[in-house]
Amino acid sequence: MSRRITPVRHRRSPEAVGGRALAALLLPWLLLLLAGLAGRAMAADAVEPPAAVTRIAPGVYMLAGSGGEVEPANRGRIGNAGFIVGPQGVVAIDSGTSYRHGQALLAAIARTTDQPIKLLLLTQTKQEFLFGALAFQERGIPVRMHRLASRLMAARCETCLKNLKRTLGEEEMRGTAIVKPEQEFDESHGLELIGRPLQVIFLGHSSGPGDVALLDAESGVLFAGGLVENRRIPDLLDSDVAGWQKALVALGRQPVRQIVPGHGPVAAPAAIADNARYLGALQARLLELLGAGTALSEVADAATLPAFGDWDQVESTHRRNATILFVRLEREQLFK
């Protein structure tokens, strides 16, 4: 006669029942929380991709801007930045358009070298080179800038910042502020900070009142700041054109092998002459228009220069340049 075997049912304590019920209730919420955190992490990566670093020469690196105009699609990151690594540290050159951009530059340097950053040099007052500096200062990295450029930045860059917030949005510009440089200077000078000889070059009022370049003697790489562009129309807004032309002649005498321009890809030394050629051609054309009695309203259309027709910003900066320089030349003739 077969015996029916009844399985033994263990009695669970109320505490165990309650704990499992609570876990069952919390598990979906926990999974949703983890998914949300992962999503935010993925979104953060999408918003702030690592800044691409290009090695130009041993110890010399560039972070390329996109060119074009400041707009949400490029997050305003249109200008070039870079850094030079020596046996005792790093000098960074220009800082980008926003606090976030400054953070991205710092992260790019950290991925490249473990040497400490000794200095940030700001070469000019255009907005796409200035506004990442606070991220450096927060790390205790001093900012150096020509005194005249620093004054110009203090005088007008609150307006620049408001415009950037309007164009790029409050979120993209969060944390961004104008800095006061810890170090200001008036003349060209050497930098002996990183065990590698660097020369800060100031050639007077040129592309801007305090615009400078930085030459690495070891590699012959010139970080030209606002003094040299590569296949992009130079901006005359803050310039002294005669002073700029003299400065380009002086730069042409430097032992330069490669140039990191303010905008555009790495260039050969011939880019110095290209910029001088543009300035000369524009001035010659405007003198022709002035002699012909051309109305100011017609100047932008009449001042086309076919030799530079494929340069970046020919439809915006070039047209503005023509109007600015025409007015200056007209005034010079009136007050001779």
Side-chain angles (χ1 to χ4, degrees):
M1 183 174 176
S2 64
R3 179 182 296 177
R4 184 176 177 182
I5 300 174
T6 303
V8 178
R9 297 176 184 265
H10 295 287
R11 205 170 173 184
R12 288 177 290 180
S13 69
E15 293 82 359
V17 172
R20 290 188 182 185
L22 181 61
L25 285 170
L26 289 178
L27 182 59
W29 293 102
L30 181 60
L31 291 174
L32 284 171
L33 175 62
L34 291 173
L37 290 172
R40 279 196 289 276
M42 290 173 67
D45 288 342
V47 168
E48 199 63 48
V53 176
T54 301
R55 181 180 178 272
I56 301 169
V60 183
Y61 302 88
M62 169 186 171
L63 294 92
S66 67
E69 296 276 8
V70 168
E71 57 185 7
N74 57 35
R75 306 175 69 191
R77 302 181 183 187
I78 63 174
N80 297 328
F83 58 96
I84 300 172
V85 181
Q88 297 168 17
V90 178
V91 168
I93 305 102
D94 292 322
S95 64
T97 314
S98 65
Y99 178 75
R100 283 182 171 180
H101 198 182
Q103 289 179 310
L105 297 177
L106 286 165
I109 295 171
R111 290 196 309 272
T112 306
T113 177
D114 57 4
Q115 291 283 2
I117 304 172
K118 298 293 187 72
L119 183 74
L120 167 65
L121 177 70
L122 298 179
T123 64
Q124 56 185 300
T125 53
K126 291 185 178 64
Q127 59 191 14
E128 59 264 33
F129 302 94
L130 299 177
F131 284 118
L134 182 60
F136 286 77
Q137 283 188 330
E138 286 183 346
R139 305 270 187 102
I141 300 162
V143 175
R144 184 175 296 197
M145 195 175 194
H146 192 279
R147 193 177 312 279
L148 295 176
S150 177
R151 288 177 184 170
L152 182 57
M153 177 176 68
R156 77 171 183 200
C157 283
E158 285 291 350
T159 301
C160 300
L161 185 53
K162 288 177 184 176
N163 291 337
L164 283 170
K165 287 178 178 178
R166 265 197 304 270
T167 302
L168 300 176
E170 292 284 343
E171 181 59 33
E172 181 62 42
M173 298 301 294
R174 188 178 301 279
T176 307
I178 298 171
V179 303
K180 179 173 175 55
E182 290 86 354
Q183 301 175 12
E184 295 183 347
F185 59 91
D186 298 300
E187 303 293 341
S188 298
H189 57 278
L191 289 179
E192 302 294 339
L193 295 172
I194 61 173
R196 180 174 185 150
L198 306 175
Q199 181 71 20
V200 177
I201 301 171
F202 173 62
L203 298 166
H205 190 166
S206 53
S207 49
D211 286 12
V212 301
L214 181 70
L215 178 64
D216 173 50
E218 188 173 313
S219 66
V221 174
L222 179 75
F223 284 85
L227 285 157
V228 181
E229 304 283 19
N230 185 11
R231 300 191 65 78
R232 179 182 171 102
I233 299 294
D235 190 344
L236 271 61
L237 179 62
D238 299 318
S239 71
D240 178 307
V241 173
W244 197 347
Q245 289 169 323
K246 290 177 183 176
L248 291 170
V249 171
L251 277 184
R253 299 192 189 109
Q254 295 286 337
V256 175
R257 298 192 191 101
Q258 295 185 89
I259 296 173
V260 178
H263 303 85
V266 175
I272 296 172
D274 290 342
N275 281 250
R277 192 163 50 90
Y278 170 79
L279 296 176
L282 178 60
Q283 183 160 329
R285 178 60 181 147
L286 293 175
L287 286 172
E288 288 177 359
L289 296 177
L290 191 57
T294 306
L296 179 61
S297 60
E298 300 172 359
V299 166
D301 289 327
T304 56
L305 298 174
F308 307 95
D310 60 347
W311 282 22
D312 185 15
Q313 302 303 288
V314 72
E315 292 299 327
S316 52
T317 304
H318 172 68
R319 293 173 65 85
R320 185 174 70 239
N321 284 348
T323 302
I324 290 170
L325 188 54
F326 185 86
V327 170
R328 291 180 189 174
L329 294 171
E330 188 174 44
R331 187 185 303 125
E332 286 176 11
Q333 290 199 358
L334 286 172
F335 293 99
K336 271 185 178 179

